[in-house]
Amino acid sequence: MSATTATPRVPSRLRFALFVFCAVYPFVTLLAYLIGPLTAEWSLWQRNLLLVPIMVFSMVWVIIPRIQRHCGRWL
């Protein structure tokens, strides 16, 4: 009796990157518009110091898990 084991399909990194781009770009743009008036006098590095942690936490705990959950069959 031979046991056949199906090897799991490896997700496409390119498709995953495209899904992440499609989710992150609008969110970064929205955040830039929202914090722009509040941080108009700040230097670029100071604005990024506010924006980047928001993006990192959003990607790790919201965006990427949702992409994996809802779009996993297309990856």
Side-chain angles (χ1 to χ4, degrees), residues 1 7-8 21-22 24 38 61 63 68:
M1 178 162 54
T7 57
F21 174 81
C22 289
V24 169
L38 304 173
W61 280 288
I63 295 171
Q68 291 173 335

Side-chain angles (χ1 to χ4, degrees), residues 16-57:
F16 181 65
L18 289 173
F19 277 107
V20 171
F21 174 81
C22 289
V24 169
Y25 179 77
F27 189 58
V28 168
T29 305
L30 176 67
L31 279 177
Y33 277 115
L34 291 176
I35 69 168
L38 304 173
T39 60
E41 303 297 321
W42 296 12
S43 299
L44 178 62
W45 71 268
Q46 292 170 320
R47 280 182 264 157
N48 284 345
L49 192 61
L50 176 64
L51 182 94
V52 169
I54 295 170
M55 279 310 306
V56 169
F57 284 104

Side-chain angles (χ1 to χ4, degrees), residues 1-23:
M1 178 162 54
S2 66
T4 58
T5 57
T7 57
R9 188 173 58 94
V10 178
S12 168
R13 289 182 184 212
L14 178 60
R15 278 185 290 220
F16 181 65
L18 289 173
F19 277 107
V20 171
F21 174 81
C22 289

